[in-house]
Amino acid sequence: MSPAFRAMDVEPRAKGVLLEPFIHQVGGHSCVLRFNETTLCKPLVPREHQFYETLPAEMRRFTPQYKGVVSVCFDEDEDRNLCLIAYPLKGDHGAVDSVDSSDCEPKSKLLRWTNKKHHVLETEKTPKDWVRQHWKEEKMKSHKLEEEFEWLKKSEVLYYSVEKKGNVSSQLKYYNPWSMKCHQQQLQRMKENAKHRNQYKFILLENLTSRYEVPCVLDLKMGTRQHGDDASEEKAANQIRKCQQSTSAVIGVRLCGMQVYQAGSGQLMFMNKYHGRKLSVQGFKEALFQFFHNGRYLRRELLGPVLKKLAELKAVLERQESYRFYSSSLLIIYDGKERPEVALDSDAEDLEDLSEESADESAGAYAFKPLSTSSVDVRMIDFAHTTCRLYGEDSVVHEGQDAGYIFGLQSLIDIVTEITEESGE
């Protein structure tokens, strides 16, 4: 029997891992949490779990690596701050032990991420008076932050100026309103159900952004249909309306979320799904152009690799019989942080002294290049409504390819190709 469907018992002496919000979540409604540097977790949906355990081998390079199942519980302190802890399922230590937890400290040493702000967990070595004072100070600091997030959640397109002297990657955690919104909603749901249950199954998945210093993330809802075969009439009608009123019906793809670092202005730009639904086909194309533009110039070196990966994914899906990826998304990710490349005759001091301000388009001997040659990634995510004839309990069995998803991929290929040609590449 699959570990996911075993009893929810937790080993009494199991080492727990404190979960934190995943700060690069730009779309979706399900909360994604950070297990460690390279691993994320999200609430287990049986259909999605089945997909990851049975997906065709040739699709694996286009999906996050599946790493197992954990049990997640939450605690609430006297100040009503919540934290989420992951434990291995009873008799299934491998789910956690097989994941690298080298960067996860014991629970007593970790910071507590709450629906307010970070608070230090009380330990035997920390005086209680100091902890209370720390909490009081943090509450005062976080009051304005909470008010700001309420405004942010209502805004569809946001720009933030980032301190040039600061570490961009460390500042991102304070600026992603969608991630915070999903996290707060998940905590609230779990809190409301606390009287009935305090253990939930979560699946562990590869963190696709872990190798990027400043991840730029595009979340695209794929296909001309979003509702699953098991959707109620009301749910199906709602999803059909969203498709008809957006680019989904016309080109089989719509923008579901975006996070971009614009080096030219030192700003972070966020665009959420509500804005994505309003875009025309031309507006969608402009948003895609904006995703690959860093504020100085178009990142043309990314377009070729993206087209190659999209074409490869399309070829793979054309070979899949009976699959339907309803409401699935496609992620495109690259690093917004570039490093300068100096001329071959430059010495080491030139490289050390080169600043971001001096390395613009007019820098002559200098140019920018990606941090990594494999600086762009394309992956399918979110399979809660995926179906296939291999799923024996499904009442509807489809034949042939997922034409709606493939249509969306071809539209995406066409638009990226247009951007490439218009940019003079």
Side-chain angles (χ1 to χ4, degrees):
M1 181 180 293
S2 170
F5 299 101
R6 293 174 183 164
M8 270 301 247
D9 296 334
V10 177
E11 291 286 3
R13 296 182 181 179
K15 178 182 177 182
V17 174
L18 184 66
L19 302 177
E20 299 176 357
F22 174 53
I23 62 174
H24 302 304
Q25 180 179 0
V26 299
H29 62 273
S30 179
C31 178
V32 179
L33 297 165
R34 180 186 182 277
F35 182 87
N36 63 23
E37 182 66 26
T38 60
T39 307
L40 305 176
C41 64
K42 60 184 293 191
L44 183 146
V45 176
R47 184 174 296 274
E48 181 170 43
H49 181 244
Q50 185 174 18
F51 169 80
Y52 277 113
E53 289 203 321
T54 62
L55 83 165
E58 63 177 344
M59 284 190 63
R60 288 176 186 164
R61 65 190 179 106
F62 292 107
T63 62
Q65 179 188 357
Y66 166 69
K67 300 186 177 184
V69 181
V70 291
S71 173
V72 174
C73 309
F74 73 92
D75 292 328
E76 185 175 22
D77 63 28
E78 60 185 14
D79 290 327
R80 303 181 69 184
N81 297 311
L82 304 178
C83 66
L84 302 177
I85 312 293
Y87 298 93
L89 296 181
K90 186 174 182 179
D92 186 39
H93 294 282
V96 171
D97 295 342
S98 63
V99 180
D100 181 13
S101 299
S102 58
D103 63 336
C104 297
E105 297 188 34
K107 177 182 174 182
S108 62
K109 296 182 181 179
L110 284 170
L111 290 178
R112 181 191 293 267
W113 181 277
T114 72
N115 53 351
K116 297 177 182 178
K117 194 128 168 59
H118 281 97
H119 293 272
V120 176
L121 284 172
E122 181 179 335
T123 66
E124 295 180 356
K125 296 181 181 180
T126 307
K128 292 184 179 180
D129 292 340
W130 186 91
V131 172
R132 291 195 184 97
Q133 180 63 26
H134 180 79
W135 281 347
K136 183 177 180 180
E137 292 175 355
E138 288 298 316
K139 284 179 183 176
M140 293 176 64
K141 293 177 183 177
S142 65
H143 183 66
K144 285 188 176 181
L145 191 63
E146 285 184 351
E147 293 181 348
E148 184 180 355
F149 273 126
E150 288 304 311
W151 175 76
L152 295 180
K153 288 186 287 188
K154 299 176 183 178
S155 303
E156 297 178 356
V157 181
L158 299 166
Y159 290 85
Y160 293 98
S161 293
V162 179
E163 293 289 341
K164 288 188 176 181
K165 295 182 180 179
N167 185 321
V168 177
S169 57
S170 67
Q171 293 184 53
L172 277 171
K173 70 176 68 176
Y174 301 110
Y175 290 100
N176 188 330
W178 193 261
S179 173
M180 175 60 74
K181 177 180 179 179
C182 291
H183 185 71
Q184 289 179 332
Q185 289 177 340
Q186 178 69 28
L187 288 175
Q188 188 61 35
R189 282 194 297 268
M190 293 177 73
K191 183 178 180 181
E192 291 173 354
N193 295 327
K195 293 182 180 180
H196 306 288
R197 61 184 298 201
N198 185 24
Q199 289 185 336
Y200 297 79
K201 296 171 187 172
F202 278 55
I203 59 173
L204 297 173
L205 298 171
E206 173 188 6
N207 177 4
L208 300 174
T209 68
S210 63
R211 62 192 178 95
Y212 302 113
E213 185 174 347
V214 184
C216 293
V217 183
L218 179 65
D219 186 324
L220 301 171
K221 187 71 71 174
M222 301 299 296
T224 53
R225 168 181 161 174
Q226 301 302 324
H227 62 281
D229 293 324
D230 57 347
S232 64
E233 290 186 12
E234 181 181 0
K235 173 91 171 180
N238 185 43
Q239 293 295 342
I240 290 172
R241 184 176 65 255
K242 289 178 183 177
C243 289
Q244 291 176 339
Q245 295 176 348
S246 68
T247 56
S248 292
V250 183
I251 58 176
V253 55
R254 74 171 181 259
L255 191 146
C256 196
M258 184 193 297
Q259 169 181 297
V260 183
Y261 176 59
Q262 299 181 315
S265 60
Q267 288 185 321
L268 294 168
M269 189 277 282
F270 297 98
M271 187 179 293
N272 68 26
K273 66 180 182 181
Y274 302 111
H275 184 75
R277 289 177 190 169
K278 299 175 183 178
L279 295 175
S280 63
V281 174
Q282 180 60 30
F284 176 84
K285 178 180 175 180
E286 292 171 358
L288 204 60
F289 179 90
Q290 188 174 19
F291 176 68
F292 291 111
H293 200 286
N294 70 358
R296 288 196 184 101
Y297 50 84
L298 186 68
R299 294 284 300 274
R300 295 185 184 90
E301 81 281 1
L302 300 172
L303 301 180
V306 166
L307 284 172
K308 183 174 183 294
K309 290 178 182 292
L310 290 175
E312 290 172 348
L313 174 58
K314 180 172 175 284
V316 168
L317 294 189
E318 287 174 340
R319 294 192 290 270
Q320 305 311 311
E321 170 67 27
S322 181
Y323 273 100
R324 295 295 182 273
F325 303 99
Y326 299 135
S327 198
S328 178
S329 286
L330 189 72
L331 290 185
I332 300 179
I333 311 170
Y334 71 87
D335 205 329
K337 183 69 173 178
E338 295 179 287
R339 63 180 174 85
E341 179 182 22
V342 297
L344 293 176
D345 57 352
S346 300
D347 56 30
E349 290 185 6
D350 290 334
L351 181 60
E352 293 176 1
D353 295 339
L354 184 61
S355 66
E356 184 172 308
E357 288 73 22
S358 67
D360 58 19
E361 286 183 298
S362 61
Y366 302 103
F368 276 90
K369 73 174 184 179
L371 284 168
S372 169
T373 54
S374 58
S375 58
V376 64
D377 203 355
V378 174
R379 304 287 186 104
M380 298 174 68
I381 62 167
D382 296 340
F383 304 99
H385 301 287
T386 293
T387 182
C388 175
R389 65 183 178 189
L390 299 176
Y391 303 173
E393 298 179 359
D394 287 359
S395 58
V396 180
V397 177
H398 299 272
E399 300 294 333
Q401 310 165 341
D402 187 338
Y405 197 112
I406 293 172
F407 172 61
L409 278 176
Q410 185 58 55
S411 297
L412 200 54
I413 290 171
D414 293 342
I415 292 173
V416 176
T417 299
E418 288 179 17
I419 293 174
T420 302
E421 294 173 347
E422 291 173 4
S423 68
E425 181 68 5

